[in-house]
Structures are given as structure tokens and as C-alpha cells.
């Protein structure tokens, strides 16, 4: 029996639920808040002080430990290392100089790490304009006079990108972004191959191709981030050759997370081997999920193609499932998941890496927060990576001039996406309660504004998904052979996938911005 549009009200409410769940998920500012931020300095950036400077204070919004170069000062033509570096509370650092700083131009460059081992770095400068009447004073008094433009040598010192900690931090951010893409798309593609995809063997091969490539990207990204972390810790690119430097990073919380991601990526790449079976042999996971999520895409439509068969579902649990898989062809194939055990082990290892990374080691009840974070990442991967595989399969069939069978994919994936979005929304809400201290950070900081842009991009993806669920799928059920509807669905899915790709880019900007002052 075909679903009608009479239950449009229920679908509308469910679409609203999906959009709200998605928004709650992405209001969670974990990528930005996972780093301690620069709070200010004394003297302030750009100040003119009228005395010699014995002390410089640098404050951060949370606990911070010097790493790499730590604190380096350029006074005139001379590079100065503080005589003493101390902190009264772990978040404010006091640099003491003997003799005091008396040069006209002073630049300060700093590199610290947050409690979760993520590095941040930055710089500031001020001018020392000693007046004869106050030359013997030991306190730094800031003048309201605007600071002059720093000389070229000071600008070069502050903006130094060649082989220093800033370059290492940027390389680590690149590696982390590669790992982010590899993890989300790779895990999502793996779940898509197991749960959603039923069709020609070539489609199964194509999706597994992406699982392997994303696993390789994840492993390479983890290797880049790990090596960059070593260089950042020692402020020396050759430190990767020192066993002690490698061990220092490997046994840190962040180092464990990176190594787990690298190992998991390698197993994903090596373990997603190509073995298929008749799609009618086992209980269909989508039908099981349909029982768990009755508010999904509605009842399975009746077969309409001459080659379609309604597949009876075996039910060893005795629950009496009565649905039939929609639009299953007699020669359709499914991936033999048992052949990919190393890939599933790799996925589990990748997810376990989030137990040792970010706020899970700094905020809230340690293991409860870690568990919710893993659930959050898993659900996000199922939605985002699965959606990209959906778009990939549709475009692959379109390019080859094959029948798109868009309705089958739409019905099957909508059930999976519905569950993933609800779970991600609940987990994201819990994480937000744990992490967020001040909501105003979302609009008062640069990373907060980037985060708002990220949320808007997700809203576009969620709106596209709501359009598919509310309008396109019911229309496709009523007119399953209408090609214009297949075209609209493919276009809507592509817009949704591109929006999520931009979300990944926004996340990388947040991570990169978190390493800057």
C-alpha cells in the first residue's frame, strides 16, 4: 500500500524535529571551545610605556602551559629569553627580565598548550619611550599616545612563519582537518555500505572505494598531525628523529588520540575488501531500524517494477517484522560485512580516539562526557558521510545512463538519517550543557562568528533534507517512474552534501583559528 499525503501534518512535525535536532547538534561549539584562548597582556598590544619594563604579564582564558619556544621576546635588535617565567594560577604567566627591557621596540611571541594538549600561539608588541624623569622607575605605565608602526624587523619577528611554531601549528591543523574528513566520511560510507546500499555490484564497489580512500586520508592526516606536534613541542623539525621527543607526544592524551586515528584509518583502508552476497539472504538492517523509528519514511511502498520482489524478512528474534524491502531487484547485491571485520575494528578504534581528545579530558565527568562525544561523532558520521555516499551513487548512475532507483535510496536512507539526526541532536544538547560556560562567546569572539556561519550552512543542509522528506519522497512514491522527480532529488541531495562539505571547511577554520591569538 502506497503512503499518501494525508499524513502531511505528522511529516511536517517530524521535519521540524529533524531541523531542531540538527541545530542543537551544531550549536555545540566543541571545535572552538576545546582550546584555551589568549585573554590579554600587560603591557597591552600596541601600548607606549614610559619606563623600563621588568615584567610582562600574559593572561589566557584557561590553564595553559608553555610548549615549544614558550615565550620569546625581541627587544630592539636582541632576542631575549625571560630570566624567570612563573604563574600564580596556571592561566596568567609572568615574564621577568634582568636587566629590564629598555629598547624602543619590543615584540613578544608565545606558544602554549591547553590541558587537552592542543597548542595555541600568537604575538603582540609595544613601544618603550623612556622619559628622563622616570627612567629609574621599575613599573610600566601605559601612555594614551598611539603606538607608531612597528619597524620591519619587529614585524618579521611577529609574523615569522618559516620553520617555527606557527608553521608547525598550521601543519598540525591541516593534518587534523584531513583526519576530520577521513573519519566522518569514511565511517559514514562504511555504515552506508552495510545498512543502506542494495543494488548492482558496481555500486557496492564504488562505495567501498571511498571507504578505503577516506581511511587512507585519515591515516595520512594523523601522521602529519603527529609529526607536526613533535616539531611544535621542541620548536625543531629535526625533533622527529629524537626518540624522547616522539615519546613525549605519543604518551600525551592528544598523542594517543592521533595514533589511534592513524591506526584506525589504516585498518579502514586495508579492511574494506570487496565481497558481496544476494541482498535477500539476511534480515535487512533498514527494516529493523524502521521498527525502531516508526516516524521515518513511512511504510514500504509496493513493488512497481517488473523485476522488483517483495522480500520476506526472517526474524530470529520473534518480533514478527512484516515489512518488505522496497524495490529490491532479483539480482541486487549487498556487501558481505563479515569480510570487512578489519574495517569495523578500524572504525571502533577511530571512535575510541575521541575518548582522549578535546573537552573529554577537561570538562565534566570524564567517561560520561567521552561516551556522549563518541555517540555524537558516530551519529554525525552516519548522517554526513552517508549523505555524501548517497549523492555519489546517484551521480554515478546518472553519468552512466543507468536507472537511478532514487526512490529506493531515498526511502532507505531517510530511515537511517532520521535515527542519526535524533541521536546526534540529543547528544549535542548534552555536550552543549557540559561545555558552554557563556553563550555570549558565540557572537563576541571570532571563532564564535565562524561557528554561526557553520550553523547557517547546516541549516541549509537540514532544510534540503526536510524538503526531501516532506515533499519529494511522497511525490516519488506516488509517481515512482517520473524522471524529473529523480532529478530534483539528486539536486537536493547534492546541495545538502555541498553544504556539509562547507561545514567541514568551516570546522577547519575554527580549528585553525583556535591556534591563533
Amino acid at each position: 500500500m502506497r503512503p499518501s499525503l494525508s499524513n502531511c501534518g505528522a511529516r511536517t512535525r517530524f521535519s521540524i524535529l529533524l531541523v531542531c535536532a540538527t541545530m542543537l547538534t551544531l550549536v555545540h561549539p566543541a571545535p572552538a571551545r576545546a582550546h584555551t584562548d589568549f585573554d590579554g597582556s600587560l603591557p597591552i598590544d600596541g601600548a607606549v610605556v614610559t619606563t623600563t619594563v621588568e615584567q610582562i604579564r600574559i593572561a589566557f582564558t584557561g590553564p595553559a602551559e608553555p610548549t615549544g619556544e614558550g615565550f620569546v621576546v625581541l627587544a630592539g635588535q636582541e632576542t631575549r629569553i625571560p630570566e624567570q617565567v612563573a604563574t600564580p594560577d596556571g592561566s596568567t604567566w609572568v615574564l621577568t627580565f634582568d636587566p629590564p627591557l629598555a629598547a624602543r621596540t619590543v615584540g613578544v611571541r608565545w606558544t602554549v598548550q591547553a590541558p587537552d594538549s592542543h597548542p595555541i600561539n600568537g604575538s603582540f608588541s609595544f613601544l618603550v619611550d623612556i622619559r628622563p624623569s622616570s627612567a629609574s622607575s621599575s613599573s610600566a605605565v601605559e601612555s594614551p599616545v598611539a603606538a607608531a608602526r612597528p619597524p620591519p624587523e619587529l614585524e618579521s619577528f611577529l609574523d615569522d612563519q618559516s620553520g617555527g611554531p606557527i608553521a608547525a601549528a598550521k601543519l598540525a591543523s591541516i593534518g587534523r582537518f584531513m583526519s576530520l574528513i577521513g573519519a566522518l566520511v569514511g565511517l559514514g560510507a562504511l555504515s552506508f555500505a552495510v545498512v543502506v546500499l542494495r543494488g548492482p555490484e558496481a555500486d557496492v564497489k564504488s562505495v567501498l572505494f571511498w571507504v578505503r580512500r577516506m581511511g587512507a586520508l585519515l591515516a595520512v592526516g594523523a601522521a602529519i598531525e603527529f609529526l607536526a606536534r613533535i616539531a611544535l613541542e621542541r620548536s625543531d623539525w629535526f625533533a622527529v628523529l629524537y626518540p624522547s621527543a616522539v615519546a613525549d607526544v605519543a604518551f600525551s592524551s592528544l598523542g594517543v588520540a592521533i595514533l589511534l586515528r592513524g591506526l584506525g584509518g589504516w585498518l579502514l583502508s586495508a579492511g574494506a575488501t570487496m565481497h558481496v552476497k544476494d541482498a535477500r539472504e539476511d534480515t535487512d538492517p533498514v527494516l529493523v531500524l524502521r521498527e525502531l523509528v516508526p516516524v521515518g519514511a513511512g511504510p514500504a511502498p509496493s513493488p512497481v517494477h517488473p523485476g522488483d520482489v517483495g522480500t520476506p524478512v526472517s526474524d530470529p528474534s520473534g518480533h514478527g517484522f512484516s515489512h518488505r524491502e522496497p524495490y529490491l531487484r532479483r539480482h541486487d547485491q549487498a556487501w558481505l560485512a563479515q569480510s570487512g571485520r578489519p574495517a569495523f575494528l578500524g572504525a571502533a578504534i577511530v571512535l575510541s580516539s575521541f575518548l582522549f581528545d578535546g573537552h573529554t579530558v577537561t570538562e565534566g565527568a570524564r567517561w560520561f562526557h567521552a561516551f556522549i562525544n563518541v555517540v555524537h561523532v558516530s551519529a554525525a558520521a552516519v548522517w554526513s558521510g552517508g549523505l555524501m555516499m548517497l549523492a555519489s551513487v546517484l551521480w554515478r548512475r546518472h553519468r552512466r545512463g543507468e536507472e537511478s532507483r532514487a526512490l529506493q535510496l531515498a526511502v532507505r536512507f531517510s530511515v537511517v538519517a532520521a535515527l542519526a539526526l535524533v541521536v546526534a541532536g540529543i547528544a549535542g544538547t548534552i555536550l552543549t550543557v557540559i561545555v558552554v560556560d557563556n553563550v555570549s562567546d558565540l557572537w563576541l569572539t571570532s571563532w564564535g562568528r565562524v561557528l554561526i556561519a557553520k550553523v547557517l550552512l547546516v541549516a541549509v543542509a537540514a532544510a534540503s533534507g526536510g524538503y526531501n522528506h516532506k515533499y519529494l519522497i511522497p511525490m516519488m512514491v506516488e509517481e515512482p517512474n517520473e524522471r524529473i522527480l529523480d532529478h530534483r532529488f539528486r539536486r537536493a541531495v547534492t546541495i545538502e552534501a555541498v553544504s556539509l562539505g562547507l561545514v567541514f571547511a568551516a570546522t577547519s577554520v575554527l580549528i585553525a583559528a583556535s591556534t591563533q591569538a
Side-chain angles (χ1 to χ4, degrees), residues 226 230 234 238-251:
F226 187 78
I230 297 173
R234 297 295 182 92
F238 290 101
V240 297
L241 303 176
Y242 307 150
S244 61
V246 175
D248 286 344
V249 174
F251 289 105

Side-chain angles (χ1 to χ4, degrees), residues 413-469:
F413 183 70
S414 64
V415 177
V416 176
L419 182 60
L421 283 174
V422 170
V423 171
I426 295 172
T429 302
I430 296 172
L431 289 173
T432 300
V433 172
I434 294 174
V435 172
V436 172
D437 295 323
N438 191 347
V439 179
S440 63
D441 288 342
L442 295 175
W443 57 83
L444 293 180
T445 62
S446 59
W447 58 258
R449 290 186 285 272
V450 174
L451 187 62
I452 290 173
K454 174 182 173 181
V455 171
L456 293 176
L457 290 170
V458 172
V460 173
S464 179
Y467 171 74
N468 291 342
H469 183 84

Side-chain angles (χ1 to χ4, degrees), residues 31 35 52 112 150 156 166 193 283 300 307 318 343 351 359 429 431 450 483 499:
H35 298 268
T52 57
V112 299
S156 176
I166 295 178
T283 299
L351 290 174
H359 268 136
T429 302
L431 289 173
V450 174
R483 291 193 174 185
S499 298

Side-chain angles (χ1 to χ4, degrees), residues 17-18 37-38 64 67 83 90 98 119 139 150 161 219 223 232 246 262 321 325 331 342 353 395 409 437 439 499 504:
L17 172 64
L18 293 187
D37 292 323
F38 176 71
T67 187
E83 190 73 18
D98 185 17
S139 62
Q161 303 283 327
L232 182 59
V246 175
F321 297 131
E325 206 283 345
H331 301 292
S353 71
W395 278 105
L409 292 172
D437 295 323
V439 179
S499 298
F504 293 158

Side-chain angles (χ1 to χ4, degrees), residues 139-221:
S139 62
V141 179
E142 295 180 15
S143 166
V145 179
R149 180 178 177 83
E153 63 271 15
L154 181 58
E155 288 187 329
S156 176
F157 171 79
L158 298 178
D159 297 332
D160 180 22
Q161 303 283 327
S162 56
I166 295 178
K170 288 186 178 296
L171 187 61
S173 295
I174 292 172
R176 191 169 183 81
F177 177 54
M178 294 170 63
S179 297
L180 172 70
I181 296 292
L184 292 179
V185 179
L187 297 182
L190 187 68
S191 68
F192 187 87
V194 174
V195 179
V196 177
L197 186 59
R198 298 292 185 272
E201 183 175 332
D203 288 341
V204 179
K205 183 177 181 180
S206 174
V207 171
L208 292 181
F209 167 86
W210 284 110
V211 173
R212 292 191 294 271
R213 292 304 178 269
M214 290 300 102
L217 181 67
L218 173 56
V220 172

